[in-house]
PDB file of all heavy atoms in Angstrom:
ATOM      1  N   LYS A1335      54.020  82.183   3.267  1.00  0.00           N
ATOM      2  CA  LYS A1335      52.725  81.515   3.420  1.00  0.00           C
ATOM      3  C   LYS A1335      52.572  80.397   2.387  1.00  0.00           C
ATOM      4  O   LYS A1335      52.189  79.269   2.715  1.00  0.00           O
ATOM      5  CB  LYS A1335      51.601  82.549   3.261  1.00  0.00           C
ATOM      6  CG  LYS A1335      50.205  81.963   3.330  1.00  0.00           C
ATOM      7  CD  LYS A1335      49.246  82.685   2.395  1.00  0.00           C
ATOM      8  CE  LYS A1335      48.469  81.677   1.605  1.00  0.00           C
ATOM      9  NZ  LYS A1335      47.822  82.109   0.425  1.00  0.00           N
ATOM     10  N   ASN A1336      52.892  80.713   1.133  1.00  0.00           N
ATOM     11  CA  ASN A1336      52.757  79.701   0.081  1.00  0.00           C
ATOM     12  C   ASN A1336      53.764  78.569   0.261  1.00  0.00           C
ATOM     13  O   ASN A1336      53.446  77.405   0.032  1.00  0.00           O
ATOM     14  CB  ASN A1336      52.940  80.340  -1.304  1.00  0.00           C
ATOM     15  CG  ASN A1336      51.803  81.300  -1.618  1.00  0.00           C
ATOM     16  OD1 ASN A1336      50.689  81.157  -1.097  1.00  0.00           O
ATOM     17  ND2 ASN A1336      52.069  82.294  -2.451  1.00  0.00           N
ATOM     18  N   PHE A1337      54.975  78.939   0.694  1.00  0.00           N
ATOM     19  CA  PHE A1337      56.063  77.963   0.850  1.00  0.00           C
ATOM     20  C   PHE A1337      55.693  76.877   1.860  1.00  0.00           C
ATOM     21  O   PHE A1337      55.961  75.699   1.652  1.00  0.00           O
ATOM     22  CB  PHE A1337      57.324  78.714   1.287  1.00  0.00           C
ATOM     23  CG  PHE A1337      58.551  77.866   1.451  1.00  0.00           C
ATOM     24  CD1 PHE A1337      58.997  77.049   0.422  1.00  0.00           C
ATOM     25  CD2 PHE A1337      59.295  77.917   2.623  1.00  0.00           C
ATOM     26  CE1 PHE A1337      60.144  76.275   0.564  1.00  0.00           C
ATOM     27  CE2 PHE A1337      60.440  77.159   2.780  1.00  0.00           C
ATOM     28  CZ  PHE A1337      60.869  76.340   1.749  1.00  0.00           C
ATOM     29  N   ILE A1338      55.087  77.279   2.972  1.00  0.00           N
ATOM     30  CA  ILE A1338      54.757  76.284   4.017  1.00  0.00           C
ATOM     31  C   ILE A1338      53.268  75.914   3.981  1.00  0.00           C
ATOM     32  O   ILE A1338      52.787  75.216   4.861  1.00  0.00           O
ATOM     33  CB  ILE A1338      55.177  76.753   5.430  1.00  0.00           C
ATOM     34  CG1 ILE A1338      54.421  78.029   5.850  1.00  0.00           C
ATOM     35  CG2 ILE A1338      56.679  76.944   5.521  1.00  0.00           C
ATOM     36  CD1 ILE A1338      54.625  78.378   7.326  1.00  0.00           C
ATOM     37  N   HIS A1339      52.556  76.397   2.969  1.00  0.00           N
ATOM     38  CA  HIS A1339      51.146  76.042   2.773  1.00  0.00           C
ATOM     39  C   HIS A1339      50.271  76.442   3.960  1.00  0.00           C
ATOM     40  O   HIS A1339      49.412  75.671   4.403  1.00  0.00           O
ATOM     41  CB  HIS A1339      51.001  74.542   2.484  1.00  0.00           C
ATOM     42  CG  HIS A1339      51.823  74.098   1.316  1.00  0.00           C
ATOM     43  ND1 HIS A1339      51.407  74.228   0.020  1.00  0.00           N
ATOM     44  CD2 HIS A1339      53.070  73.566   1.242  1.00  0.00           C
ATOM     45  CE1 HIS A1339      52.344  73.787  -0.807  1.00  0.00           C
ATOM     46  NE2 HIS A1339      53.371  73.387  -0.088  1.00  0.00           N
ATOM     47  N   ALA A1340      50.508  77.638   4.479  1.00  0.00           N
ATOM     48  CA  ALA A1340      49.639  78.160   5.534  1.00  0.00           C
ATOM     49  C   ALA A1340      48.324  78.604   4.901  1.00  0.00           C
ATOM     50  O   ALA A1340      48.247  78.830   3.683  1.00  0.00           O
ATOM     51  CB  ALA A1340      50.305  79.332   6.242  1.00  0.00           C
ATOM     52  N   ALA A1341      47.286  78.718   5.733  1.00  0.00           N
ATOM     53  CA  ALA A1341      45.970  79.087   5.202  1.00  0.00           C
ATOM     54  C   ALA A1341      45.897  80.570   4.877  1.00  0.00           C
ATOM     55  O   ALA A1341      45.179  80.974   3.951  1.00  0.00           O
ATOM     56  CB  ALA A1341      44.879  78.710   6.203  1.00  0.00           C
ATOM     57  N   SER A1342      46.622  81.406   5.629  1.00  0.00           N
ATOM     58  CA  SER A1342      46.547  82.848   5.355  1.00  0.00           C
ATOM     59  C   SER A1342      47.801  83.563   5.843  1.00  0.00           C
ATOM     60  O   SER A1342      48.536  83.047   6.698  1.00  0.00           O
ATOM     61  CB  SER A1342      45.303  83.453   6.026  1.00  0.00           C
ATOM     62  OG  SER A1342      45.633  84.075   7.241  1.00  0.00           O
ATOM     63  N   VAL A1343      48.034  84.762   5.288  1.00  0.00           N
ATOM     64  CA  VAL A1343      49.209  85.544   5.682  1.00  0.00           C
ATOM     65  C   VAL A1343      49.108  86.012   7.142  1.00  0.00           C
ATOM     66  O   VAL A1343      50.116  86.353   7.757  1.00  0.00           O
ATOM     67  CB  VAL A1343      49.428  86.771   4.767  1.00  0.00           C
ATOM     68  CG1 VAL A1343      49.980  86.352   3.426  1.00  0.00           C
ATOM     69  CG2 VAL A1343      48.173  87.595   4.617  1.00  0.00           C
ATOM     70  N   GLU A1344      47.900  86.015   7.674  1.00  0.00           N
ATOM     71  CA  GLU A1344      47.759  86.412   9.088  1.00  0.00           C
ATOM     72  C   GLU A1344      48.435  85.412  10.028  1.00  0.00           C
ATOM     73  O   GLU A1344      48.652  85.700  11.193  1.00  0.00           O
ATOM     74  CB  GLU A1344      46.266  86.488   9.447  1.00  0.00           C
ATOM     75  CG  GLU A1344      45.510  87.560   8.708  1.00  0.00           C
ATOM     76  CD  GLU A1344      44.012  87.324   8.794  1.00  0.00           C
ATOM     77  OE1 GLU A1344      43.530  86.364   8.149  1.00  0.00           O
ATOM     78  OE2 GLU A1344      43.340  88.069   9.511  1.00  0.00           O
ATOM     79  N   GLU A1345      48.724  84.234   9.499  1.00  0.00           N
ATOM     80  CA  GLU A1345      49.338  83.194  10.324  1.00  0.00           C
ATOM     81  C   GLU A1345      50.863  83.217  10.265  1.00  0.00           C
ATOM     82  O   GLU A1345      51.523  82.367  10.867  1.00  0.00           O
ATOM     83  CB  GLU A1345      48.838  81.817   9.865  1.00  0.00           C
ATOM     84  CG  GLU A1345      47.320  81.698   9.972  1.00  0.00           C
ATOM     85  CD  GLU A1345      46.795  80.337   9.552  1.00  0.00           C
ATOM     86  OE1 GLU A1345      47.257  79.818   8.513  1.00  0.00           O
ATOM     87  OE2 GLU A1345      45.928  79.789  10.253  1.00  0.00           O
ATOM     88  N   ILE A1346      51.418  84.173   9.511  1.00  0.00           N
ATOM     89  CA  ILE A1346      52.873  84.243   9.325  1.00  0.00           C
ATOM     90  C   ILE A1346      53.407  85.443  10.093  1.00  0.00           C
ATOM     91  O   ILE A1346      53.180  86.592   9.701  1.00  0.00           O
ATOM     92  CB  ILE A1346      53.229  84.393   7.825  1.00  0.00           C
ATOM     93  CG1 ILE A1346      52.599  83.266   6.991  1.00  0.00           C
ATOM     94  CG2 ILE A1346      54.740  84.451   7.639  1.00  0.00           C
ATOM     95  CD1 ILE A1346      53.034  81.864   7.362  1.00  0.00           C
ATOM     96  N   ILE A1347      54.120  85.178  11.185  1.00  0.00           N
ATOM     97  CA  ILE A1347      54.701  86.252  11.989  1.00  0.00           C
ATOM     98  C   ILE A1347      56.204  86.299  11.697  1.00  0.00           C
ATOM     99  O   ILE A1347      56.890  85.289  11.869  1.00  0.00           O
ATOM    100  CB  ILE A1347      54.527  85.980  13.510  1.00  0.00           C
ATOM    101  CG1 ILE A1347      53.106  85.495  13.837  1.00  0.00           C
ATOM    102  CG2 ILE A1347      54.946  87.197  14.330  1.00  0.00           C
ATOM    103  CD1 ILE A1347      52.040  86.523  13.703  1.00  0.00           C
ATOM    104  N   PHE A1348      56.695  87.460  11.277  1.00  0.00           N
ATOM    105  CA  PHE A1348      58.141  87.603  11.111  1.00  0.00           C
ATOM    106  C   PHE A1348      58.769  87.863  12.476  1.00  0.00           C
ATOM    107  O   PHE A1348      58.322  88.745  13.237  1.00  0.00           O
ATOM    108  CB  PHE A1348      58.476  88.750  10.157  1.00  0.00           C
ATOM    109  CG  PHE A1348      58.333  88.377   8.705  1.00  0.00           C
ATOM    110  CD1 PHE A1348      57.550  89.138   7.854  1.00  0.00           C
ATOM    111  CD2 PHE A1348      58.988  87.258   8.186  1.00  0.00           C
ATOM    112  CE1 PHE A1348      57.421  88.803   6.502  1.00  0.00           C
ATOM    113  CE2 PHE A1348      58.861  86.906   6.839  1.00  0.00           C
ATOM    114  CZ  PHE A1348      58.079  87.681   6.002  1.00  0.00           C
TER     115      PHE A1348
END
Side-chain angles (χ1 to χ4, degrees):
K1335 177 215 132 198
N1336 293 334
F1337 182 54
I1338 63 170
H1339 304 277
S1342 99
V1343 285
E1344 295 163 289
E1345 301 181 316
I1346 305 299
I1347 315 290
F1348 280 127

